[in-house]
Every structure is written in structure tokens, then in C-alpha cells.
């Protein structure tokens, strides 16, 4: 039971700090458009799976370009995060595009089509 509370606290802290890092530390429009929804740590705290989406303020911002920017700046983000967290070991960051919003929009479109018939 104690592990779940500790793990949840670490996940929450990583989520908060990553959000601040992406919005304040970088002047990159791709990274500034990212919204982090959830962080999941593995049981051994070696990998943090970070679920994100983005809001495209500019037509040049798309899923591939955001993923590419995250890959380019991955090590720098982790280094900045290490300076902000008080953890013995900083997990490897694994950014995953969160498709839940896309799925919800698709379901809503289907329901609208069904209701209009």
C-alpha cells in the first residue's frame, strides 16, 4: 500500500515539473504546445511513460513534428528534470502521444451520425 502512495507522489511531481519545464525552459513552439496528461512509472522507477497531447496554434505543428522535437530535446529535458527533482535516480523518459482525446472525438462523431438517422 505504501508503494502506491509513494509512486503516485513521484508521478505527480514528475508531471508538474515536466509541464513547467516544457512551458518555461524552452522557447520552442512545438514543446510549448504540449500538454501532459499522465505519467506512469514502472515498478522499479526506471522508466516514466509520459502521455501527452498538443494544441496546434500553428498549422506547422503536427503529431510528427512534436514527436520529433521531443526526441531531439529528450536528453536536455531529462537533465533539467534531474535538477528539479529530489530523487536518487531519474527515470528514462518515454513520451507517448495520448490518443484518448482523438478516440473521444471519433466516438462523438459516430454518435452524432447515429442520432441524426
Amino acid at each position: 500500500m505504501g508503494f502506491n502512495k509513494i509512486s503516485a507522489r513521484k508521478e505527480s511531481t514528475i508531471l508538474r515539473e515536466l509541464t513547467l519545464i516544457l512551458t518555461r525552459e524552452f522557447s520552442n513552439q512545438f514543446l510549448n504546445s504540449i500538454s501532459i496528461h499522465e505519467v506512469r512509472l514502472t515498478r522499479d522507477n526506471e522508466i516514466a511513460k509520459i502521455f501527452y497531447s498538443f494544441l496546434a496554434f500553428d498549422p506547422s505543428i503536427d503529431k510528427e513534428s512534436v514527436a520529433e522535437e521531443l526526441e531531439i530535446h529528450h536528453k536536455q529535458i531529462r537533465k533539467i528534470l534531474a535538477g528539479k527533482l529530489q530523487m536518487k535516480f531519474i527515470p528514462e523518459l518515454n513520451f507517448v502521444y495520448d490518443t484518448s482525446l482523438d478516440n473521444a472525438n471519433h466516438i462523438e462523431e459516430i454518435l452524432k451520425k447515429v442520432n441524426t438517422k
Side-chain angles (χ1 to χ4, degrees):
M1 185 71 173
F3 172 77
N4 291 337
K5 288 182 182 178
I6 293 169
S7 182
R9 194 171 337 144
K10 287 179 183 178
E11 291 169 348
S12 174
T13 303
I14 291 171
L15 187 144
R16 183 182 67 244
E17 291 300 332
L18 278 175
T19 300
L20 292 173
I21 288 168
L22 292 174
T23 56
R24 294 183 181 171
E25 301 288 333
F26 292 94
S27 60
N28 183 322
Q29 68 176 350
F30 297 101
L31 297 179
N32 291 337
S33 69
I34 293 175
S35 174
I36 298 175
H37 298 274
E38 184 178 4
V39 174
R40 290 187 199 156
L41 282 170
T42 55
R43 188 147 180 87
D44 60 359
N45 292 330
E46 287 200 19
I47 300 172
K49 192 179 260 191
I50 299 145
F51 294 91
Y52 73 93
S53 65
F54 63 93
L55 188 57
F57 298 111
D58 187 335
S60 66
I61 300 175
D62 62 358
K63 187 175 165 181
E64 291 78 24
S65 59
V66 171
E68 185 177 316
E69 287 295 319
L70 282 171
E71 185 63 33
I72 291 169
H73 296 288
H74 175 264
K75 289 182 181 180
Q76 187 179 5
I77 293 169
R78 187 169 182 239
K79 183 178 179 182
I80 295 170
L81 182 65
K84 296 188 180 285
L85 295 180
Q86 300 202 358
M87 293 173 65
K88 188 174 188 177
F89 178 77
I90 303 303
E92 186 65 35
L93 305 178
N94 184 3
F95 290 95
V96 178
Y97 180 71
D98 189 2
T99 60
S100 61
L101 185 59
D102 295 338
N103 293 340
N105 288 337
H106 181 67
I107 291 170
E108 188 174 330
E109 288 175 16
I110 292 171
L111 290 174
K112 283 181 182 177
K113 288 178 184 177
V114 169
N115 287 337
T116 57
K117 289 184 179 180

